[in-house]
Amino acid sequence: MSLASLSFNQLRLERMSRAFGTFNALNEIDLTIRKGEFVALLGPSGCGKSTALNCIAGLLGTTGGGIYIDDKRIDQLKPEDRGFGMVFQNYALFPHMTVLQNVGFGLKMRGLARAEIDERSHAALALVRLQGQADKLPGQLSGGQQQRVAIARAIVIEPPLVLMDEPLSNLDAKLRLEMRAEIRRIHNQLGATTIYVTHDQDEALSLADRIVVLRDGSIRQVGTPRELYESPLYLDVAEFMGFRNKISGRVVQAANGEATIEVGGARLTGRALDALAVGDTAILAARGDDVIEGVSGTNAIEAAVETIEYRGREFVGTANTDSGMQLVFHGPRNAELGSRVRLEIDARRALVFAAQP
Ligand SMILES: Nc1ncnc2c1ncn2[C@@H]1O[C@H](COP(=O)(O)OP(=O)(O)OP(=O)(O)O)[C@@H](O)[C@H]1O
C-alpha cells in the first residue's frame, strides 16, 4: 500500500538507531516532525545526517527503534510503499529520457493513465519553472535546471514527505542561492513537509523552520534558526553556528546569567550558558562580527593584527592575543599589519561555556 496519497499529522522517530557492525552511526534519535514543517538535519561530515535520511526513506534499514506516521509504524515498509519524494545531490536523472518522461516516471510506475501522467508532469514542471524544457534531454540542461527536474520528479507523486540530501552541493554559489529560494517557495506553495540534509549552516538557517543539529549520531540540539543562531547550548554547536572566536580564561564573576572571565589582564563578559563559579576555567565564544576594532569599548582585549581584508562595507581581519589566541574581527579601517588593536566584544551576544575537563 502506498502512503503517497495519505495526509498525516506527524512523522515520529522513536529511538531510531542504525549500527554498522559495532559502530553506531545513529543513536536513539527521538524527533517529531509536524505536517507542513521544513526541518533541516545539520552537522559536520560523518555525523549521521544521510544515514538518518536514508532510514526515513527506507533505503537503509534501522537496527533499533521505530518510525511512525501518526500511529502507523512504517520502518518495515519498502521505500516505494512509504511513497516519499527524494532529491539527492547527484540528480540521478535518466539520461536517455526527456525531462517530461523523467518527471512522469514515478507516475508511470504507479500505473496511471498517460493523459494524467502528462498533465501532472507538466504541472510539476510549471511549479519548478521549467515549462519550456519538457522535450529536452537532461544533458541539454544546466546543473540548476537538472536539479529542478529532480525536484519536479520528487513532488509529482504528491508525497506526504519530501526528503532532500544536500541537493544544492553540486551547484555554483550563485545558483545555490537561487535554488535555495526556489526550494522554500516550492515547499510553501505545495504545503509540503520537507526534511533537508545539509552541512551548511547558512542554508539551514535560511530554509528551515526547525534545525536539528547532529553530532556523532546523536541529536545535540533542536531549535528554530533564531534559537540556534543566538543561543547554541553547547560550545561545539556554537562553533558550528559560526562562533569562530574562542577565548579561554578564568571566571572572576558569575551572576544573573552573565559571566566575566579574565585573560591576560583583560576582563570579558558574556551570557553564561553553563553553571559557572568564580575560579572555573571557561571559554567565551563570539562571532567575528561581534568582535569590533576601532571603538573605545570596555569589554575589550588587545591583540596584534595578523591579516586584514577589505570587504566593501568594512574590513575583516585576524589578530593574535598575547596569550596566543587568534581572533577574527571586523572593523571600519584598514588596521596596519602588526599593529596592536583593541577588540571590543559584544557582551550581549558573546556566550560563556564551562571548559570541558
Ligand atoms: N554502509 C556503511 N558501512 C559502514 N559505515 C557507514 C556506512 N554508511 C555510513 N557509515 C558511517 O556512518 C557515519 C555517518 O555517515 P553519514 O553518511 O550518515 O554521515 P553524514 O553526516 O551524512 O556525512 P556527509 O555529510 O559526509 O555525507 C560515518 O562515520 C560513516 O563512515
Side-chain angles (χ1 to χ4, degrees):
M1 183 207 68
S2 170
L3 288 168
S5 54
L6 293 184
S7 68
F8 71 107
N9 289 318
Q10 59 180 35
L11 171 83
R12 232 169 45 255
L13 312 180
E14 280 187 14
R15 304 174 68 185
M16 182 176 85
S17 302
R18 169 70 207 203
F20 294 105
T22 54
F23 175 72
N24 290 323
L26 281 181
N27 296 308
E28 307 202 336
I29 302 289
D30 281 316
L31 183 68
T32 299
I33 294 169
R34 293 179 293 275
K35 183 176 164 63
E37 258 193 312
F38 195 120
V39 171
L41 303 184
L42 176 68
S45 182
C47 69
K49 308 177 294 286
S50 298
T51 302
L53 202 76
N54 289 337
C55 286
I56 295 169
L59 300 174
L60 198 60
T62 51
T63 50
I67 306 174
Y68 299 83
I69 289 254
D70 296 330
D71 293 328
K72 183 176 169 55
R73 186 161 179 176
I74 64 158
D75 49 273
Q76 306 300 334
L77 296 183
K78 293 204 278 291
E80 57 272 27
D81 293 333
R82 300 185 196 191
F84 299 154
M86 286 179 261
V87 182
F88 298 100
Q89 179 178 338
N90 58 352
Y91 331 115
L93 300 175
F94 299 115
H96 58 286
M97 288 188 193
T98 65
V99 164
L100 192 70
Q101 287 166 340
N102 264 285
V103 173
F105 185 75
L107 299 176
K108 194 170 168 196
M109 288 295 108
R110 285 172 166 73
L112 268 62
R114 175 76 192 266
E116 188 181 354
I117 295 175
D118 282 355
E119 189 191 326
R120 282 172 62 174
S121 302
H122 278 295
L125 281 175
L127 192 67
V128 299
R129 299 184 170 149
L130 279 184
Q131 292 95 320
Q133 317 288 343
D135 298 326
K136 287 193 176 163
L137 293 172
Q140 297 172 298
L141 301 180
S142 71
Q145 288 172 326
Q146 291 186 45
Q147 196 52 289
R148 284 171 199 259
V149 177
I151 293 170
R153 187 181 53 183
I155 60 182
V156 76
I157 59 171
E158 296 174 9
L161 196 61
V162 180
L163 306 175
M164 298 195 175
D165 194 349
E166 308 247 11
L168 306 184
S169 23
N170 279 347
L171 306 180
D172 66 42
K174 184 170 169 286
L175 253 184
R176 252 202 321 267
L177 282 182
E178 220 174 278
M179 283 302 293
R180 200 198 271 183
E182 283 291 277
I183 284 177
R184 185 67 218 204
R185 176 185 65 79
I186 293 164
H187 168 91
N188 290 347
Q189 208 164 323
L190 280 179
T193 308
T194 305
I195 306 180
Y196 187 100
V197 162
T198 180
H199 64 272
D200 178 338
Q201 65 273 37
D202 284 338
E203 218 166 272
L205 286 169
S206 65
L207 275 172
D209 299 313
R210 270 196 310 156
I211 299 175
V212 178
V213 179
L214 293 173
R215 185 193 176 196
D216 296 338
S218 298
I219 291 184
R220 211 47 186 146
Q221 188 172 351
V222 182
T224 62
R226 187 170 189 161
E227 282 163 352
L228 278 158
Y229 188 84
E230 293 179 1
S231 302
L233 295 177
Y234 305 99
L235 183 59
D236 58 278
V237 179
E239 285 179 78
F240 201 68
M241 298 307 298
F243 286 71
R244 284 181 59 194
N245 293 310
K246 291 183 293 175
I247 304 171
S248 171
R250 200 154 287 281
V251 177
V252 290
Q253 204 174 329
N256 305 323
E258 287 194 339
T260 302
I261 62 165
E262 211 237 85
V263 45
R267 289 186 163 223
L268 301 172
T269 300
R271 278 164 51 214
L273 285 199
D274 290 324
L276 292 164
V278 172
D280 288 351
T281 308
I283 293 170
L284 181 136
R287 296 173 186 284
D289 39 12
D290 295 323
V291 178
I292 307 294
E293 192 270 327
V295 284
S296 55
T298 47
N299 207 36
I301 186 166
E302 283 202 5
V305 177
E306 187 177 61
T307 65
I308 190 101
E309 275 178 17
Y310 177 60
R311 294 274 178 90
R313 280 168 181 268
E314 58 177 1
F315 289 83
V316 177
T318 55
N320 297 315
T321 65
D322 292 341
S323 50
M325 288 176 285
Q326 191 185 64
L327 304 180
V328 178
F329 67 92
H330 288 220
R333 65 185 184 114
N334 193 7
E336 204 174 313
L337 296 186
S339 66
R340 287 185 75 77
V341 289
R342 269 176 77 74
L343 303 177
E344 190 196 358
I345 297 176
D346 188 333
R348 291 160 311 167
R349 292 180 178 272
L351 306 173
V352 187
F353 296 92
Q356 295 307 311

